[in-house]
Each structure stands twice: as structure tokens, then as C-alpha cells.
């Protein structure tokens, strides 16, 4: 007969976290609840212990402590630009209509390990909207394991995590755009301007671009693949480089509209008419 004790998983306590981090229980409480400033190194040690032990405050204790914030968090890489302003307005309107405040944190995505507590989590919000690239798979998995409500924007959830996500039909949309250039406008030399390396939206849009070319018997030209980074400046630089190399193209499919704007600026600077000489579309 199996030993029942060996099958029992003991829930980690705040004392376990304090012991592993080498701090007092009150210090762990301050880090978890955000009730007072704590040194950065101490926060890092506590969060490491929380992650290692899969510690989560007991739901009943959170309720008794009045942990409901009536606030939804939004993690974004930036808040400026033509794309983010309407996105934020729509989220803010829906949150307000549902009785929630909106708390926004903006910072560029990073591949470096995070040494401090997450800026937005269960300590100051009741749920989190996460824009692509703003949290690592490991951070998402930890929050999901704690039962914290998450919704991903413009990225699929990590494998094995049932986190809801809002994404676009990138491949089919891109295929239709490129087919429009081929069928309606007779374009055959179509360049593609990709987004940031590894960006999920960009990868699927490029797949749709390549699929459309293949379906119409056009071989993709590696020389006509540029990186616009989803930025106006990136699109401008990439198209300038094509023009300087003397490449022949009659259309550009930009990974997003800001990149398309940069492409149009570069073409006009060079005296190339849009769309008479070169057609430009952006996703």
C-alpha cells in the first residue's frame, strides 16, 4: 500500500517563504502586499522563494484582508503612437463600464531576468491584460498557477497553459492582402517588411505573404525581405536600403501600418510615386 504521506502535497506558507529567503515573515508580507518599501535585493530574494515554493496567499485570507481592488492592470511596451492610443481608449471604456479602474504600466520588453517584483499583479489588481512580450513564459506560468486572472493580447498562451488570448487572423489576412496586390494590381515583385524578430504576429503575417506568392507561382526573393520592427523609422530605413541597392520591386507589404508609413516616406524622398510606381499595404 502506498504511503499516503508521500502523496500529500503540502501547501507552502508565508513562514516557508520567509525561511527560504532568509527574512522575517513581516518582510514577506510587505513584499506580497506592497504595503511598505522593501530593498530591491530583498524583494528579489523573496520573489525567488515565492517562485520556488509556488506560494500563493490563501484565497480566504486575501478576502478577509480586503484584497479586491476593483482595478484591472494593463501591461504595454509603450503608450504613444497611432496603434496604442485607440487600444487604451477601448480597454479603459470597457473597464469603466464594468465598474473597474484601469492601471497601466509601460516599459519596453526585455529578455533579461526581472530582479524586482512585477509592477502589476495580484497585489494591486484583480486581473491583468498582458500585451505580447511584456511577461516571460515563466512569469505567466507562475501567475496562472496562483489562479490570477490573465488575458493575453496579440500572442498565444505558452504551451500547456489555458490562458485566454485575443489574437488576429494574421496569416489569412496577410494572404488576402498580398493576393489583392497580385490579382487586382498585377504586382509580381512584392517586398515584405517584418516586425521585431520573434514577434508572433509578424511570423504569421510573413507566412501568409509567402503562401500567397507560392499560390500564384511567384518565388519569394530573400533580397526583398526587410525588417521594419513595426516602426516608421524601421520601414524608412529598410526601403532606403532597397533603393540604394537598386532592387526591383513594384509593391511592399509592411508588417504594420507604422512600418508602411515609413516605407512611403522613403519612396517619396526618392521620387517614387505611391501607388503609381510602387503599391504599399500595411497590416
Amino acid at each position: 500500500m502506498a504511503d499516503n504521506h508521500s502523496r500529500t502535497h503540502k501547501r507552502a506558507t508565508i513562514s516557508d517563504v520567509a525561511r527560504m529567503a532568509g527574512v522575517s515573515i513581516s518582510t514577506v508580507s510587505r513584499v506580497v502586499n506592497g504595503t511598505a518599501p522593501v530593498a530591491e535585493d530583498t524583494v528579489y530574494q523573496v520573489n525567488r522563494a515565492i517562485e520556488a515554493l509556488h506560494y500563493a496567499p490563501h484565497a480566504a485570507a486575501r478576502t478577509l484582508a480586503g484584497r479586491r481592488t476593483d482595478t484591472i492592470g494593463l501591461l504595454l511596451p509603450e503608450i504613444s503612437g497611432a496603434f496604442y492610443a485607440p487600444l487604451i481608449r477601448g480597454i479603459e471604456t470597457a473597464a469603466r463600464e464594468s465598474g473597474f479602474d484601469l492601471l497601466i504600466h509601460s516599459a519596453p520588453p526585455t529578455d533579461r531576468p526581472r530582479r524586482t517584483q512585477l509592477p502589476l499583479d495580484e497585489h494591486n489588481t484583480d486581473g491583468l491584460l498582458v500585451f505580447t512580450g511584456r511577461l516571460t513564459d515563466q512569469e505567466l506560468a507562475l501567475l496562472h498557477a496562483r489562479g490570477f486572472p490573465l488575458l493575453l493580447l496579440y500572442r498565444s498562451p505558452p504551451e500547456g497553459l489555458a490562458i485566454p488570448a485575443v489574437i488576429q487572423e494574421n496569416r489569412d489576412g496577410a494572404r488576402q492582402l498580398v493576393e489583392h496586390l497580385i490579382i487586382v494590381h498585377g504586382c509580381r515583385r512584392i517586398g515584405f517588411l517584418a516586425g521585431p524578430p520573434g514577434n508572433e504576429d509578424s511570423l504569421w503575417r510573413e507566412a501568409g505573404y509567402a503562401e500567397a506568392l507560392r499560390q500564384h507561382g511567384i518565388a519569394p526573393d530573400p533580397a526583398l525581405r526587410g525588417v521594419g520592427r513595426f516602426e516608421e523609422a524601421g520601414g524608412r530605413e529598410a526601403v532606403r536600403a532597397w533603393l540604394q541597392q537598386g532592387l526591383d520591386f513594384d509593391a511592399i507589404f509592411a508588417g504594420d501600418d507604422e512600418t508602411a508609413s515609413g516605407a512611403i516616406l522613403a519612396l517619396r524622398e526618392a521620387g517614387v510615386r505611391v501607388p503609381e510606381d510602387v503599391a504599399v499595404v500595411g497590416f
Side-chain angles (χ1 to χ4, degrees), residues 76 81 84 135 190 200 211 219-220 250 257 261:
L76 291 174
Y84 293 101
L135 292 182
I190 305 171
E200 182 179 350
E211 183 179 310
D250 53 16
D257 287 343
S261 296

Side-chain angles (χ1 to χ4, degrees), residues 38 43 57 61 73 77 92 98 142 177 188 205 210 214 239 254:
V38 179
V43 172
E92 193 275 334
S98 299
L142 181 59
L177 278 171
R188 306 289 293 181
R205 291 169 195 176
R214 288 194 303 270
V239 174

Side-chain angles (χ1 to χ4, degrees), residues 16-259:
D16 297 327
V17 174
R19 190 178 304 111
M20 176 175 284
V23 299
S24 67
I25 292 175
S26 60
T27 297
V28 175
S29 178
R30 286 196 293 271
V31 172
V32 170
N33 297 313
T35 53
V38 179
E40 181 177 322
D41 288 346
T42 302
V43 172
Y44 177 65
Q45 292 299 328
V46 171
N47 282 331
R48 282 190 60 186
I50 288 172
E51 183 176 338
L53 296 169
H54 301 289
Y55 169 73
H58 194 280
R62 287 169 56 87
T63 302
L64 289 172
R67 296 307 310 281
R68 182 174 174 84
T69 66
D70 292 324
T71 299
I72 293 175
L74 173 61
L75 287 174
L76 291 174
E78 60 178 290
I79 58 176
S80 61
F83 176 80
Y84 293 101
L87 176 78
I88 293 170
R89 283 198 300 270
I91 292 172
E92 193 275 334
T93 298
R96 184 176 62 247
E97 290 174 350
S98 299
F100 287 88
D101 292 326
L102 182 65
L103 187 59
I104 302 172
H105 180 81
S106 169
T110 177
D111 296 328
R112 294 175 299 175
R114 195 184 308 275
R115 289 185 56 85
T116 59
Q117 183 179 342
L118 294 176
L120 302 178
D121 56 16
E122 67 263 51
H123 310 125
N124 49 18
T125 64
D126 296 332
L128 200 57
L129 306 175
V130 184
F131 197 86
T132 178
R134 286 299 292 112
L135 292 182
T136 66
D137 287 359
Q138 186 178 18
E139 288 168 332
L140 289 172
L142 181 59
L143 290 171
H144 182 66
R146 295 176 186 170
F148 184 58
L150 298 168
L151 185 133
L152 306 181
L153 301 176
Y154 303 102
R155 68 160 289 182
S156 300
E159 186 174 355
L161 297 184
I163 301 174
V166 176
I167 56 177
Q168 305 178 76
E169 184 46 74
N170 288 294
R171 184 170 65 180
D172 188 55
R175 180 185 56 76
Q176 292 183 50
L177 278 171
V178 177
E179 284 194 333
H180 175 82
L181 292 172
I182 296 170
I183 297 171
V184 178
H185 299 285
C187 301
R188 306 289 293 181
R189 296 280 297 167
I190 305 171
F192 176 69
L193 296 176
N199 179 275
E200 182 179 350
D201 284 341
S202 180
L203 293 172
W204 283 115
R205 291 169 195 176
E206 185 167 7
Y209 157 81
E211 183 179 310
L213 294 183
R214 288 194 303 270
Q215 288 178 349
H216 292 272
I218 303 173
D221 184 349
L224 288 178
R225 184 193 186 278
V227 178
R229 304 188 301 274
F230 288 172
E231 298 173 357
E232 182 180 286
R236 197 173 190 176
E237 293 166 7
V239 174
R240 276 177 175 172
W242 288 352
L243 293 169
Q244 290 169 0
Q245 296 168 37
L247 297 179
D248 175 36
F249 53 94
D250 53 16
I252 297 172
F253 169 38
D256 81 323
D257 287 343
E258 292 201 28
T259 304

